[in-house]
Amino acid sequence: MTSAPPSRLLQLLLVIIAAGAIAVVLAVLPYRTFELDRFFVPKEAVLHVTALMAGLVALIGVRQLRLTAADDVLIGFFFLSLISAIASSNAWLSFRALSITASSLILFWACRRLALAGFGRALAVVLASGAVLGAGTALLQAYGINSDYFSLSRAPGGTFGNRNFMAHLAAIGLPLVVALTLQARSRLVAFAGAGATLVLTGAVVITRSRAAWLGMAGSLVFFVIAGLWLGGLARDPLVRRRLTLLAGGAMLGVGLALLLPNTLNWRSDSPYLETLQDVTNYKEGSGRGRVLQYQNTLRMALAHPVLGVGPGNWAVVYPKFAPRHDPSLDLDDGMTANPWPSSDWMTFLSERGAAATLLLLLAFLSLGIRSWRWWHVSPRRVQTLETLALPALLLAAVTCGAFDAVLVLPIPALYVWAAAGLLAPADGGGRIFELHGRGKVWLAAAVGGIGLLATARSTLQGAAMGVYEQSYRVADAARAERLDPGSYRIRILLAQRYYTKGDCGRTRVQAEAARRLFPEAPRPRNLLRACGASVPP
């Protein structure tokens, strides 16, 4: 985007995105009946509100749009995802997943506006601080701080609700911390960077998240090869001193994580050594479970190669392709234990098709290579080091996403796409489109419409969880279903409560609605049969 808006408008845009980056880390609901969604739903709401406000503010005063090759493939990725969503079986889940993609891309372009105006470094500091804040909440839980806003079953996840999700953001945020520390102008800022490195590395180690370990290691190796060796930064005496400081912070973080007693109930006597030994173990345990899940997910993708099964619909269709005792299925209800596979790329391949997945990978590749090449020819490499952080950050996200859900979740989606918009170099390439009159109105309407719908959906989901959690009568709980008719959990819980009261009429209504949302789930069929309904096997 190119324009000449007043600086106060850009300051407002900076404040909006910065506030969203911090709020998305901290947002949690206390409703333990909805153990995953009580973390995801409020964070999704923050993502959507931030994208809505940022997108509309960013469009004020814009006269031209400059589209690069990365923009073209991202637009193609979104429209293929949209077509896939329209063709999906569970529209509620499709809209939820698609709205995360839409809000993420809106933030990507809004952050590009900030970067072009010179506000990129300020927001990069906020993103790095947000990653440290999230890691800090996990460390608080690991060392004995209890809260209703932490998940006890997935400790130490802090306000993320899951230790792996927190570790992913720490790994993604570390390249920003390293870049900002190396170019810091004062010792105080450099020591703050070393402290941030201590927190991030300690949090990643203590979570035992193998995906985050690999992601962090990969990004640091890239930094060493591309920056210190090929880029010649190791010849700069100030950079060497700062690297020594960062290395000291990292080693201290690892040492404290390994040596300080914590409140985590690991089953192994040597949990961290065991995790290190199992990083590449695919023959047993969770590694074996991932391999089986990937095999079945690939079968699903081959059965739906063009558009996939629809964004967010992996959990709906996966039981069709999985044997009964698949480790990804919950033995109690026959549904998947998680709403997405243990890999972003398996998620995109099975839900949106091969073409959409390829476009997303091409976008990352284009952004990463372009950033590295631009930095490599820059005469001021230390001063522009945050540009080199982008391919390292994307590498961490892609690596973590190879083994866990990352970009499909609201926190890393906001951070990765905001960072990509901030750090991608503005080298003047691309095609320019004039933006005025009716075209600008339509673009603002699209941004506003998507943002409002997504925000309303997430807000109603959160309200429905609160109504159900605080209801003592079935009639009160039924209000939750009206607020969130697409919630399988509320539908099936209501059906069970009606059945317990002997009300088969209402049981059939709720169970049939739940069966339409998840046709392969056995619980709705069992309740329907118990009430005398004829249900196909």
Side-chain angles (χ1 to χ4, degrees):
M1 302 178 183
T2 58
S3 62
S7 61
R8 288 185 180 179
L9 187 66
L10 290 171
Q11 290 170 358
L12 174 61
L13 181 58
L14 173 64
V15 169
I16 289 170
I17 300 176
I22 300 301
V24 77
V25 169
L26 299 177
V28 187
L29 293 173
Y31 311 133
R32 291 192 177 274
T33 303
F34 304 88
E35 188 53 35
L36 280 175
D37 276 345
R38 76 187 186 98
F39 294 95
F40 296 149
V41 168
K43 296 179 189 303
E44 289 170 20
V46 171
L47 170 66
H48 299 323
V49 170
T50 304
L52 170 63
M53 296 174 65
L56 292 178
V57 170
L59 282 172
I60 297 175
V62 171
R63 299 165 188 165
Q64 293 178 334
L65 292 179
R66 185 186 297 274
L67 297 182
T68 65
D71 297 317
D72 293 337
V73 294
L74 286 174
I75 291 170
F77 166 71
F78 176 76
F79 277 104
L80 283 177
S81 299
L82 175 61
I83 297 170
S84 175
I86 293 171
S88 67
S89 61
N90 189 321
W92 297 100
L93 291 179
S94 282
F95 177 77
R96 183 176 179 179
L98 186 66
S99 63
I100 291 176
T101 297
S103 292
S104 301
L105 294 180
I106 290 171
L107 281 173
F108 169 73
W109 285 306
C111 286
R112 276 259 282 278
R113 175 87 185 274
L114 279 178
L116 290 170
F119 287 84
R121 186 167 298 176
L123 189 51
V125 172
V126 174
L127 294 178
S129 302
V132 174
L133 175 63
T137 67
L139 291 176
L140 288 176
Q141 184 181 17
Y143 292 109
I145 302 299
N146 295 317
S147 170
D148 288 339
Y149 298 97
F150 297 161
S151 173
L152 299 179
S153 62
R154 297 175 177 86
T159 53
F160 293 68
N162 185 299
R163 59 188 176 90
N164 292 302
F165 302 154
M166 184 284 302
H168 301 156
L169 184 65
I172 290 167
L174 185 61
L176 274 179
V177 171
V178 171
L180 293 169
T181 303
L182 292 181
Q183 63 183 201
R185 297 178 180 177
S186 70
R187 291 183 179 180
L188 181 61
V189 174
F191 276 102
T197 304
L198 183 154
V199 172
L200 293 176
T201 54
V204 168
V205 168
I206 207 168
T207 59
R208 299 177 61 197
S209 172
R210 287 171 287 184
W213 288 14
L214 291 171
M216 182 173 283
S219 66
L220 291 178
V221 168
F222 172 83
F223 238 118
V224 169
I225 294 175
L228 301 182
W229 181 29
L230 297 178
L233 290 179
R235 294 191 292 270
D236 188 313
L238 179 61
V239 169
R240 289 200 300 269
R241 290 196 295 272
R242 295 285 165 78
L243 283 172
T244 302
L245 192 62
L246 286 170
M251 288 188 291
L252 184 58
V254 173
L256 291 175
L258 295 176
L259 298 176
L260 283 181
N262 56 58
T263 59
L264 304 174
N265 296 316
W266 302 126
R267 297 177 182 178
S268 169
D269 293 332
S270 302
Y272 304 105
L273 179 60
E274 181 181 285
T275 300
L276 183 62
Q277 293 171 339
D278 285 346
V279 164
T280 58
N281 185 358
Y282 59 89
K283 295 183 178 179
E284 57 187 6
S286 60
R288 176 60 177 166
R290 276 187 170 88
V291 170
L292 294 174
Q293 184 193 86
Y294 296 167
Q295 290 173 346
N296 294 326
T297 302
L298 284 174
R299 289 173 53 222
M300 182 196 306
L302 290 173
H304 304 83
V306 180
L307 297 175
V309 298
N313 275 243
W314 174 84
V316 178
V317 181
Y318 184 79
K320 276 186 179 181
F321 295 86
R324 183 175 180 181
H325 296 292
D326 186 296
S328 296
L329 298 179
D330 191 317
L331 295 178
D332 293 331
D333 62 11
M335 297 178 63
T336 59
N338 290 313
W340 3 250
S342 297
S343 167
D344 272 347
W345 308 109
M346 287 294 164
T347 302
F348 291 125
L349 185 63
S350 61
E351 292 186 349
R352 310 189 191 200
T357 304
L358 180 60
L359 288 178
L360 182 59
L361 285 170
L362 286 175
F364 277 5
L365 192 63
S366 173
L367 289 168
I369 292 177
R370 187 161 153 258
S371 296
W372 178 78
R373 291 177 63 185
W374 185 90
W375 179 83
H376 194 66
V377 300
S378 172
R380 302 168 65 245
R381 291 182 180 176
V382 175
Q383 291 80 6
T384 58
L385 193 55
E386 67 273 12
T387 304
L388 184 63
L390 178 56
L393 182 151
L394 293 177
L395 180 61
V398 169
T399 303
C400 291
F403 305 100
D404 277 318
V406 179
L407 293 174
V408 296
L409 305 180
I411 298 181
L414 187 153
Y415 273 71
V416 170
W417 288 110
L422 289 174
L423 306 180
D427 54 8
R431 294 167 289 110
I432 294 178
F433 293 89
E434 297 295 328
L435 188 65
H436 49 76
R438 189 173 299 177
K440 187 171 181 179
V441 171
W442 278 109
L443 185 58
V447 170
I450 291 171
L452 286 173
L453 286 173
T455 300
R457 170 75 178 130
S458 295
T459 302
L460 289 174
Q461 282 182 280
M465 288 191 289
V467 168
Y468 188 90
E469 184 88 0
Q470 298 165 15
S471 64
Y472 296 97
R473 299 182 305 161
V474 180
D476 294 332
R479 289 175 50 227
E481 173 262 312
R482 292 193 291 273
L483 288 169
D484 186 10
S487 172
Y488 171 84
R489 181 170 296 182
I490 290 176
R491 293 280 196 182
I492 202 65
L493 289 173
L494 268 177
Q496 188 65 55
R497 289 174 74 168
Y498 282 131
Y499 180 73
T500 302
K501 292 174 66 70
D503 188 342
C504 265
R506 289 188 172 91
T507 298
R508 284 193 293 267
V509 171
Q510 296 300 332
E512 181 58 37
R515 191 178 73 86
R516 287 195 297 270
L517 293 171
F518 282 83
E520 303 300 317
R523 286 180 68 187
R525 295 199 299 269
N526 293 339
L527 285 168
L528 288 168
R529 292 192 187 103
C531 283
S534 177
V535 183

